[in-house]
Amino acid sequence: MKTFHNPVLLSETVAVLNPKVGESYLDLTAGYAGHASQILAITRNYKNSVLVDRDENSINFLKAKYQNGEAPEIIHDDFYSAAFSLITCGNKFDMILADFGVSSPQLDNKERGFSYIEDGPLDMRMDPSKGKTAADIVNHGGLSELIGIFTKYGELSPGLSRKVALRIIKSRPLNTTMALAETVKTVLPRRGRIHPEARVFQAIRIAVNDELSIIEKTLPLLPDLLNPGGRVAIITFHSLEDRLVKNYFKEATSYGEESQLEIITKNPVVPESLELGINPRARSAKLRAARRV
């Protein structure tokens, strides 16, 4: 299994979190420890730090990485459930990171079903042991359900969403990524460098993993996980995620002296051209950060 992954906005994330020796760290989407390795190397506080991921492959990687010597706590769960459990246990941290992107090992492993370029089973689950697959939604979703998914999560117009949904229903069963991609292309022809099927795949992936709902539920928990002066950094990859984070930060900082957070990043931080040259997948990434009052 390919596990190489370029952590997005690494130097910028370290800068806004500003880790110091001895501080505790919570990574709610640890993946392959791209950000965590850098931060823990600075803090050297493993015993009070926690790494979370819902992907079993990532969890196995993290356990192997930290099997010798000092190790953080490693939790296999989605970030909302993990955050809720940590609050229940009274845990607080000096730094929190949530990177809502799909990792390169997930995208590059065609068996996971995230890619519209390589053929594989229509799966798309972050945790392959739980829930509906993309094939379940594509082959059994009703017309109105599919239109809603493509309109809300893929940000297609209702008219285009209806055309895509009707073509998918007519082409059933669709059990592979390429079968779905080719079906979508007949309705959404490619224009320039943009892959029209990308938005449809994004929409289905979000629906499969309930991504936006989990983000929406997790954001209000963050202040309760932070020590006074603690920092939280969030990396998003499309406008729907970024809008949730932006609006939450705006609300949480709008109560004057009663505010729980203060914003660190006046504007979202985006990758520089050097990073984009090395990692084109970072092109839509945005980093926002706040501090616990």
Side-chain angles (χ1 to χ4, degrees), residues 44 123 194 199 225:
R44 301 198 292 273
D123 194 316
I194 304 299
R199 286 194 172 188
L225 284 165

Side-chain angles (χ1 to χ4, degrees), residues 5-274:
H5 175 64
N6 283 316
V8 172
L9 292 165
L10 177 58
S11 61
E12 293 88 347
T13 300
V14 173
V16 298
L17 287 177
N18 191 23
K20 301 175 183 66
V21 174
E23 289 192 317
S24 56
Y25 172 64
L26 169 62
D27 195 323
L28 287 169
T29 51
Y32 292 85
H35 295 94
S37 295
Q38 187 92 356
I39 292 169
L40 290 173
I42 297 172
T43 67
R44 301 198 292 273
N45 183 357
Y46 293 86
K47 67 177 182 179
N48 300 121
S49 296
V50 178
L51 306 184
V52 178
D53 209 279
R54 68 195 298 189
D55 188 321
E56 186 175 6
N57 290 331
S58 296
I59 292 296
N60 291 337
F61 177 91
L62 294 170
K63 287 180 177 178
K65 178 178 176 64
Y66 293 107
Q67 65 181 341
N68 298 315
E70 291 187 289
E73 181 180 355
I74 297 170
I75 298 176
H76 182 199
D77 212 339
D78 67 82
F79 49 82
Y80 168 72
S81 299
F84 188 85
S85 177
L86 288 166
I87 289 172
T88 301
C89 294
N91 295 79
K92 288 184 182 291
F93 301 88
D94 298 305
M95 294 169 291
I96 300 174
L97 173 64
D99 176 349
F100 295 138
V102 181
S103 70
S104 291
Q106 289 172 327
L107 291 171
D108 293 336
N109 182 356
K110 63 182 182 181
E111 296 304 316
R112 299 297 300 274
F114 290 103
S115 176
Y116 49 83
I117 297 174
E118 291 192 83
D119 201 19
L122 266 179
D123 194 316
M124 299 193 198
R125 291 174 295 175
M126 298 289 190
D127 183 346
S129 69
K130 297 179 181 178
K132 291 182 179 180
T133 66
D136 292 328
I137 290 176
V138 167
N139 291 311
H140 304 293
L143 177 61
S144 60
E145 178 185 359
L146 293 178
I147 291 173
I149 288 172
F150 301 147
T151 302
K152 183 176 181 180
Y153 301 144
E155 298 182 282
L156 297 176
S157 69
L160 281 179
S161 294
R162 181 178 179 84
K163 287 182 180 180
V164 173
L166 286 170
R167 184 58 57 90
I168 285 174
I169 290 172
K170 184 178 179 180
S171 303
R172 287 171 174 170
L174 297 168
N175 295 308
T176 68
T177 54
M178 292 309 297
L180 176 60
E182 293 301 322
T183 299
V184 172
K185 287 178 185 177
T186 63
V187 182
L188 301 177
R190 183 170 178 174
R191 295 178 179 176
R193 299 176 61 185
I194 304 299
H195 290 270
E197 61 272 30
R199 286 194 172 188
V200 173
F201 271 66
Q202 170 187 293
I204 295 170
R205 190 201 79 221
I206 290 173
V208 166
N209 296 290
D210 196 24
E211 293 176 30
L212 296 184
S213 175
I214 292 176
I215 293 172
E216 200 167 18
K217 291 189 298 183
T218 303
L219 290 172
L221 302 182
L222 297 176
D224 291 332
L225 284 165
L226 284 169
N227 288 319
R231 292 82 66 198
V232 56
I234 301 177
I235 300 173
T236 61
F237 285 83
H238 55 76
S239 60
L240 297 173
E241 295 172 340
D242 183 58
R243 193 176 305 133
L244 287 175
V245 176
K246 177 183 177 180
N247 290 341
Y248 172 70
F249 278 179
K250 183 178 180 180
E251 178 186 357
T253 58
S254 65
Y255 298 107
E257 294 183 357
E258 300 299 321
S259 296
Q260 294 180 303
L261 299 174
E262 61 177 346
I263 294 174
I264 297 174
T265 51
K266 182 177 180 182
N267 297 305
V269 179
V270 298
E272 295 184 353
S273 56
L274 179 61

